[in-house]
Amino acid sequence: MYKLFTGLQPSGALHIGNYFGALKPAVEMCREYDGMLMVADYHALTTLKDPKAMHENILGVVKDYVAAGLDPEHTIIFKQSDVPEHTELAWIFQCLVTVPFLELSHAYKDKLAKGLEANAGLFAYPMLMAADILLYDTDVVPVGEDQRQHLEYAREAAAKFNNTFGETFKEPREKILKSVAVVPGTDGKKMSKSYSNTIPLFGTKDEITKAVMSIVTDSKGELPENVLAIHRAFKSEKELGALYEANKKNYKVIKEALIADVEAIVAPMRDKRDSISDADAKGILKDGGDRARERASKKMADVRKKIGVSI
Ligand code: TYM
């Protein structure tokens, strides 16, 4: 069975960009794959230093995963910090790649440009992500476009290790769906927690309405481009063509249609999410952590032997 792996950072509430770019494809593919979905808490620590928010967000992401349709019996849902082999392998990869190579990271440069502190964790971030993926002999990683380079880093880490210590890691490939590779936010830029331009995935109807109504519509042509760009994640070009043609310049009607389309998808998931307790989420993490650890410890035993530290 093919192996699928992906992760989301518990750095804030998920938005519809996360959903269409990564979560929805992962949920669909997990029906046929041996899937693992991770809560990337140690990645989130590069930016989030609020223990209470971290704790709440971790449980929140587990609920999001299940509400979006993942079956925790079939798919392993776990958190990164429960499997210390991730940070252990990341260290080994850091000893194989160079500083100039890591300096090429777009994500790192973007984060510095946004004014984030250049902590060493942020810098080494791609090697922890490489460890996440490679530990489990992953075949495919569903992600949004912003993670493409991270997959290149993961393949490079695998190749470096294999060349140095012998064939050990499989080179994974990314699965990026073209139509939703970059879901734009309410201002037309990429939807991102850090740009405050998101439509929350599990927001209340009021929050969703507020976010959609705030989409910037000072378009030059006849179409509200920013609304249409978000709407494309929900409906086909053909369906949208008719709606937008019939309501030229009537932005209110178009935005109301988008709110209805968001609600149609979100409302059932929101109800399901509300039915999952913190205790349920903790139970899922415990079970998933045990299953992930069993796999990771086997792989790391081989890695330790290969590098010569097993005596
Ligand atoms: P994160 O938490 O920033 O984002 C989670 C996923 O959502 C996708 N995404 C988007 N897709 C389309 N349009 C958007 N506007 C948009 N915004 C976010 C991201 O591409 C991502 O797939 N480094 C990862 C977390 C991670 C991971 C991993 C992923 C850690 N280890 C191993 C895969 C495999 C991240 O920061 O995702």
Side-chain angles (χ1 to χ4, degrees):
M1 210 182 200
Y2 278 116
K3 295 205 163 100
L4 175 151
F5 186 101
T6 199
L8 285 121
Q9 292 192 63
S11 50
L14 295 199
H15 52 71
I16 62 165
N18 300 130
Y19 178 67
F20 285 106
L23 187 50
K24 182 168 180 259
V27 170
E28 284 164 5
M29 291 169 79
C30 274
R31 294 190 194 116
E32 280 154 41
Y33 283 72
D34 173 355
M36 299 183 75
L37 262 85
M38 186 185 76
V39 183
D41 50 358
Y42 277 156
H43 274 120
L45 189 62
T46 59
T47 53
L48 180 65
K49 269 89 175 177
D50 174 344
K52 192 167 169 276
M54 178 70 91
H55 186 259
E56 280 167 13
N57 293 350
I58 289 170
L59 296 178
V61 173
V62 176
K63 293 178 188 177
D64 297 343
Y65 281 164
V66 177
L70 284 175
D71 170 7
E73 300 269 320
H74 176 63
T75 300
I76 296 180
I77 296 176
F78 75 106
K79 75 177 157 69
Q80 199 174 30
S81 61
D82 280 339
V83 186
E85 284 81 358
H86 288 243
T87 40
E88 183 182 357
L89 183 58
W91 174 259
I92 295 169
F93 289 151
Q94 284 176 59
C95 295
L96 289 169
V97 298
T98 64
V99 168
F101 176 63
L102 288 177
E103 276 171 346
L104 299 173
S105 163
H106 306 311
Y108 180 66
K109 284 189 266 194
D110 288 353
K111 282 177 179 160
L112 292 200
K114 275 188 220 157
L116 288 181
E117 107 188 325
N119 64 58
L122 203 56
F123 186 63
Y125 187 113
M127 291 303 106
L128 179 55
M129 182 155 160
D132 298 337
I133 298 167
L134 299 178
L135 254 180
Y136 302 102
D137 298 325
T138 303
D139 294 291
V140 63
V141 185
V143 282
E145 180 63 39
D146 60 357
Q147 301 298 313
R148 186 185 291 279
Q149 194 191 26
H150 284 148
L151 265 292
E152 286 164 13
Y153 272 117
R155 285 191 288 272
E156 187 62 24
K160 279 251 155 91
F161 189 100
N162 292 346
N163 288 337
T164 313
F165 299 111
E167 202 58 31
T168 307
F169 292 111
K170 199 186 254 185
E171 292 191 20
R173 62 185 168 83
E174 62 277 11
K175 174 84 185 166
I176 300 175
L177 296 178
K178 227 175 174 181
S179 58
V180 285
V182 187
V183 177
T186 53
D187 56 0
K189 285 195 280 182
K190 186 192 99 163
M191 189 175 289
S192 168
K193 286 166 213 164
S194 48
Y195 294 152
S196 305
N197 64 355
T198 63
I199 299 177
L201 178 58
F202 292 100
T204 60
K205 183 159 189 215
D206 282 354
E207 284 162 347
I208 290 169
T209 302
K210 202 169 152 225
V212 171
M213 286 303 172
S214 78
I215 300 173
V216 179
T217 46
D218 52 346
S219 56
K220 292 178 200 76
E222 289 189 320
L223 292 176
E225 291 298 339
N226 293 337
V227 188
L228 177 59
I230 296 174
H231 221 153
R232 285 198 177 105
F234 292 85
K235 284 236 160 98
S236 71
E237 209 62 50
K238 207 171 147 210
E239 289 167 302
L240 292 176
L243 172 73
Y244 281 69
E245 186 58 35
N247 293 288
K248 273 186 188 161
K249 295 274 178 199
N250 195 347
Y251 297 162
K252 189 162 175 282
V253 172
I254 289 176
K255 282 184 171 179
E256 279 164 0
L258 175 56
I259 293 166
D261 289 335
V262 178
E263 268 293 300
I265 288 187
V266 167
M269 294 199 291
R270 197 169 47 213
D271 290 347
K272 178 148 189 214
R273 194 181 188 280
D274 288 344
S275 74
I276 307 165
S277 68
D278 283 1
D280 295 335
K282 286 178 191 173
I284 290 168
L285 283 179
K286 167 80 181 77
D287 175 60
D290 290 346
R291 286 153 76 194
R293 188 107 206 250
E294 199 183 310
R295 294 181 178 193
S297 62
K298 273 198 200 117
K299 189 77 184 174
M300 275 312 293
D302 182 36
V303 169
R304 289 190 209 102
K305 212 181 282 164
K306 291 249 173 62
I307 64 175
V309 299
S310 281
I311 304 294

